[in-house]
Amino acid sequence: MAKRIFAIIQARMNSIRFQGKVMKEIKGMPLLKILIERIKDSKLLNGIIVATTVNPEDDIIYEYCQKNNINIFRGSENDLVERMLFAAKAYDVDVIVEQGVDCPLVDAKLIDL
């Protein structure tokens, strides 16, 4: 049976270095969307999940994903590893490609390598 490989994007509004960067727009497009569109070019991924927190500040991320049919998972604000693992379990993922919004210009060819 083939392994299910998903990119899991860690995203939250309460960044220490750059508050709200996930939804900041460049040329009218949120950084989150730019990252997702670039990841979609991967030939090996079976899907993408955005893993955000249960913090009410992150409702905007949840609502954006719901509106745009993007897989979304909400979990611990303080335990990133737990949030990533529970997101993987929720979507029956075998292999996680961890991705952060800090690097919205990721090259899908590098993911496939």
Side-chain angles (χ1 to χ4, degrees):
M1 177 172 7
K3 298 226 182 248
R4 289 174 43 87
I5 306 169
F6 276 64
I8 301 181
I9 301 169
Q10 47 190 326
R12 62 190 180 103
M13 295 297 287
N14 194 14
S15 169
I16 294 169
R17 292 171 291 176
F18 184 3
Q19 292 282 327
K21 73 180 166 208
V22 174
M23 299 307 290
K24 293 290 183 190
E25 293 189 356
I26 296 177
K27 292 191 172 191
M29 191 181 309
L31 280 177
L32 181 60
K33 180 178 171 101
I34 292 169
L35 177 59
I36 289 170
E37 291 303 315
R38 293 183 65 87
I39 291 172
K40 281 182 180 178
D41 288 338
S42 167
K43 306 285 189 256
L44 299 178
L45 291 176
N46 300 108
I48 300 168
I49 304 165
V50 174
T52 194
T53 78
V54 294
N55 186 324
E57 279 186 51
D58 295 323
D59 289 351
I60 189 170
I61 297 169
Y62 177 81
E63 290 163 6
Y64 178 82
C65 290
Q66 288 283 301
K67 179 180 174 188
N68 291 283
N69 296 316
I70 299 165
N71 295 324
I72 182 77
F73 176 84
R74 297 188 88 165
S76 173
E77 180 176 12
N78 300 315
D79 190 337
L80 174 61
V81 173
E82 177 184 282
R83 187 175 354 132
M84 299 289 283
L85 288 174
F86 285 8
K89 286 182 180 184
Y91 286 89
D92 197 28
V93 173
D94 296 306
V95 177
I96 297 169
V97 176
E98 184 178 358
Q99 192 65 54
V101 182
D102 287 343
C103 186
L105 301 179
V106 66
D107 187 335
K109 290 177 187 172
L110 289 176
I111 292 173
D112 289 346
L113 286 174

